[in-house]
Amino acid sequence: MAIGSGIRTLVAAGVAIGGAAAGFLLGADINAVVVAAVAGLAAVLIAASGEAPESVPRPPTRSRPEQPSVQALIDALAGPVLVTAGTRVACANEAARTLLGAHIVGQDVRIAIRHPAAAERLIADPAEDAGSTTHLVGIGTREQRWEMRVRPLGDERRLVQLVDETQLYAAERMRVDFVANASHELRTPLASLRGFAETLREEAGEDPQLRNRFLGIMLDETRRMQRLIDELISLSRIEAGKFRAPDTTVALDGLVREVRGALVDLHGGRGADLVLEVAEVPAVKGDRAQLSQLIHNLVGNAMAYGRPGTPVRVELEPMEDMVRLRVTDQGEGIPAKHLPRLTERFYRVDAGRSRSVGGTGLGLSIVRHIVERHRGRLDIESTVGVGTTVTVILPKADDGAVS
């Protein structure tokens, strides 16, 4: 009897593991595969624990490794996992005890997971468990979002897994916001172009002065859309290659002087305000075009938002195994509450002023992604009424050719 039971246990365990492996090979979600495997093994262990009556003598067997307990199995999982017996928490892994409290074992599961949707699900018919999920908000912290997965183990027992979906939700919100902001930024100049075109056709076509004024505005709006589209394409390319480290070396000192020459006649003739303090620095490993874009964006922002007649200081200096680029303006400054969001796409402290100086709301987002691709660091400091300093620190390159 005991030998037959052991064989059945081993066969059932093999079926559970084999089924999970097959699911993984067929493309199933890895979390679901792991939970299915643990659920299968837990069910086998629970069933096996009561199979052989005490009155039946067991023949002597050779020693073998003990089967892992249900507690050991769920402890091996990284996310919060509980096993319930009826409405009570039978056991919980460390992640679950950390999230819900060390006291949850033995408690009513509706008290352990304090959420109406979870309570309704966990007292429902176990036959409804297979393949269904429940989304929970506010467990742990108010912003955290979880997916609760429940698998039946038999004998009124269930395996409950909580999967943290906070980052996935944040990424989805960023995608939705990006599409909405991009649509808005393109719709505004398009509306202006359409309005002026209709006015020219119907009323102002015979007035040369008015016609030239409208055509000038239309040309400015067209250029604004072109800048926006160019920067969206640039941002997309940078993001697509952010996990591929650059493989060429760039001399930043020469690049800074090159950018200064390109900007000296722009931004209302503020080229005279540019002050360069460029020390001899080692080359950095980088993409020359992207680093040029980074410097253009930082220096261009400082010239646009700094007060006319005040210096825009560009400093370049070595730091052990790094190179530091610092751009400082003397402008109105930025309130501290805005600093954490400055590198978000389309985020503006003052939308009206940003548009008036030709900003698209993507410049610092592009800078951040370039710095990330180059394995560097970006810091922004600002004092209201004094000005803003943006610092970029990049690792120096090994010896090699400089592009």
Side-chain angles (χ1 to χ4, degrees), residues 321-370:
D321 294 333
M322 313 289 283
V323 174
R324 180 167 61 195
L325 171 69
R326 182 187 288 128
V327 179
T328 304
D329 67 60
Q330 294 181 16
E332 296 179 5
I334 302 167
K337 66 180 182 180
H338 295 290
L339 294 179
R341 300 191 61 190
L342 284 180
T343 59
E344 293 180 15
R345 300 167 183 171
F346 298 112
Y347 186 81
R348 294 182 174 98
V349 176
D350 183 342
R353 186 183 178 198
S354 177
R355 291 192 179 97
S356 70
V357 298
T360 63
L362 294 173
L364 284 178
S365 181
I366 289 174
V367 167
R368 175 172 66 86
H369 282 88
I370 291 175

Side-chain angles (χ1 to χ4, degrees), residues 33 60 69 73 105 158 177 196 234 247 306 346 357 363 367 382 389 394:
V33 170
S69 65
L73 287 171
V105 177
R158 289 169 166 167
D177 290 345
F196 285 122
S234 177
D247 55 5
F346 298 112
V357 298
V367 167
S382 188
T389 297
L394 300 171

Side-chain angles (χ1 to χ4, degrees), residues 222-382:
T222 303
R223 288 170 175 163
R224 177 183 165 192
M225 281 197 298
Q226 184 65 54
R227 282 195 302 272
L228 177 61
I229 292 169
D230 288 344
E231 293 203 349
L232 284 171
I233 293 172
S234 177
L235 183 59
S236 177
R237 288 174 176 168
I238 294 167
E239 287 186 315
K242 70 184 297 183
F243 298 109
R244 187 178 66 252
D247 55 5
T248 58
T249 54
V250 180
L252 274 184
D253 47 0
L255 196 57
V256 167
R257 294 187 177 93
E258 182 181 308
V259 171
R260 182 191 184 283
L263 294 176
V264 71
D265 295 325
L266 301 180
H267 298 282
R270 289 208 62 198
D273 297 332
L274 280 174
V275 178
L276 265 57
E277 296 182 4
V278 179
E280 183 177 348
V281 297
V284 299
K285 183 69 70 70
D287 181 306
R288 182 179 177 83
Q290 289 185 4
L291 291 176
S292 176
Q293 185 177 16
L294 178 148
I295 299 169
H296 266 94
N297 285 356
L298 293 182
V299 178
N301 274 356
M303 295 173 73
Y305 293 103
R307 288 187 289 270
T310 61
V312 172
R313 194 173 303 279
V314 183
E315 303 169 77
L316 190 65
E317 58 184 349
M319 293 176 53
E320 297 183 357
D321 294 333
M322 313 289 283
V323 174
R324 180 167 61 195
L325 171 69
R326 182 187 288 128
V327 179
T328 304
D329 67 60
Q330 294 181 16
E332 296 179 5
I334 302 167
K337 66 180 182 180
H338 295 290
L339 294 179
R341 300 191 61 190
L342 284 180
T343 59
E344 293 180 15
R345 300 167 183 171
F346 298 112
Y347 186 81
R348 294 182 174 98
V349 176
D350 183 342
R353 186 183 178 198
S354 177
R355 291 192 179 97
S356 70
V357 298
T360 63
L362 294 173
L364 284 178
S365 181
I366 289 174
V367 167
R368 175 172 66 86
H369 282 88
I370 291 175
V371 171
E372 288 177 354
R373 190 198 169 198
H374 287 73
R375 312 305 188 254
R377 194 177 80 218
L378 172 67
D379 294 316
I380 303 176
E381 299 175 351
S382 188

Side-chain angles (χ1 to χ4, degrees), residues 48-206:
S49 65
E51 277 186 354
E54 291 299 326
S55 59
V56 179
R58 298 178 182 272
T61 57
R62 288 178 296 178
S63 61
R64 60 181 179 179
E66 291 185 1
Q67 292 179 334
S69 65
V70 175
Q71 182 68 56
L73 287 171
I74 66 172
D75 280 341
L77 297 176
V81 179
L82 309 89
V83 173
T84 65
T87 61
R88 297 284 171 180
V89 178
C91 57
N93 68 356
E94 183 178 354
R97 296 193 300 272
T98 300
L99 175 67
L100 303 171
H103 58 280
I104 62 172
V105 177
Q107 271 193 340
D108 190 305
V109 69
R110 292 166 292 184
I111 298 177
I113 306 178
R114 294 177 179 270
H115 194 284
E120 182 180 354
R121 172 74 184 283
L122 293 170
I123 63 173
D125 186 349
E128 300 176 6
D129 288 339
S132 61
T133 59
T134 303
H135 295 278
L136 312 176
V137 180
I139 296 177
T141 64
R142 188 171 60 183
E143 286 75 27
Q144 278 189 291
R145 295 174 178 266
W146 301 86
E147 181 182 82
M148 186 176 75
R149 302 173 181 176
V150 182
R151 299 290 185 273
L153 299 177
D155 193 24
E156 296 187 350
R157 292 174 181 252
R158 289 169 166 167
L159 185 75
V160 181
Q161 181 192 26
L162 297 175
V163 181
D164 191 352
E165 292 194 321
T166 308
Q167 294 300 323
L168 290 175
Y169 176 80
E172 178 62 16
R173 287 302 312 163
M174 287 178 64
R175 185 191 68 80
V176 171
D177 290 345
F178 173 73
V179 172
N181 285 323
S183 301
H184 173 75
E185 292 294 332
L186 288 170
R187 185 170 60 245
T188 302
L190 279 173
S192 297
L193 287 172
R194 179 178 177 179
F196 285 122
E198 290 175 347
T199 303
L200 282 172
R201 186 180 65 180
E202 296 172 2
E203 302 174 12
E206 302 302 323

Side-chain angles (χ1 to χ4, degrees), residues 214-225:
F214 282 3
L215 288 174
I217 295 173
M218 293 170 70
L219 182 60
D220 289 342
E221 294 294 341
T222 303
R223 288 170 175 163
R224 177 183 165 192
M225 281 197 298

